[in-house]
Structure formats: structure tokens, C-alpha cells
Amino acid sequence: MKAALLDACRHALKHNLGLRQGERVVIVTDHTRPAIAAAFDQAATGQGALLTTVSVPVAEANGQEPGRDAAQAMREGGVVLLLTEKSLSWTRARVDATDGGARVASM
């Protein structure tokens, strides 16, 4: 893993998303971005986060709901990372997570 990518993930979690030690981080990934998912995984656990990773199939279109398990995990996260090929930003799952207080980043 490239040090620059890991450093960028650490910075994003701490400074952009305000990650606190012991907080739940949820990574939703369709495995089109494995290096980014692995770097965020390492950065989050290294900062004392509780990590949940949910694999979803590659969506057919932007805005397609990610599925019940992913939506539930997103509602339970303090920080939610959406690492998918198609955007989940405009889904009900993302809105519910944000309404529940989660800080969400979509990549």
C-alpha cells in the first residue's frame, strides 16, 4: 500500500470526517476500489475505530439503493464511506444515515 494513500485516508478520517476513537466506521464497497477500501480500513482501525465493511454488488446506475444490510449498517455508523463505482449519494440509505447523524463521504 502506498504511504501517500494511507496518509490521505488518515487525514480525511481525522480532519474532514472528525473520526473519534471508538466510533463506528462503515465502509460500503462494491470492490471496484480495493486499494482505497484497504487504505481506509487500515487508517480507521489504526485510529481506534470500530469497523464494519459491507460488500454490495456493482450498481446498474447512480442512485440505486444499496440493499437492506448496507442501509442498516449505514444508519449505525458515525462515519460512512461509500466506495462504489456508482454514486450512493442520492439514495434513501444515505439520507437516512445522514439524518441519523452520520458523516458520509462518497468516492
Side-chain angles (χ1 to χ4, degrees), residues 84-101:
T84 56
E85 181 176 311
K86 301 293 183 180
S87 177
L88 299 176
S89 294
W90 299 105
T91 61
R92 178 86 249 158
R94 196 280 307 155
V95 170
D96 289 346
T98 303
D99 286 351

Side-chain angles (χ1 to χ4, degrees), residues 7-28:
D7 288 344
C9 291
R10 287 180 182 131
H11 181 89
L13 287 168
K14 183 176 181 178
H15 299 288
N16 300 100
L17 293 163
L19 179 63
R20 297 178 295 272
Q21 188 167 1
E23 190 168 29
R24 168 115 6 239
V25 172
V26 176
I27 297 174
V28 179

Side-chain angles (χ1 to χ4, degrees), residues 56-92:
V56 297
V58 175
E60 294 179 20
N62 291 319
Q64 181 179 333
E65 292 296 330
R68 192 174 305 156
D69 291 342
Q72 177 65 37
M74 290 167 65
R75 285 191 299 274
E76 295 172 358
V79 171
V80 177
L81 303 167
L82 305 175
L83 309 177
T84 56
E85 181 176 311
K86 301 293 183 180
S87 177
L88 299 176
S89 294
W90 299 105
T91 61
R92 178 86 249 158

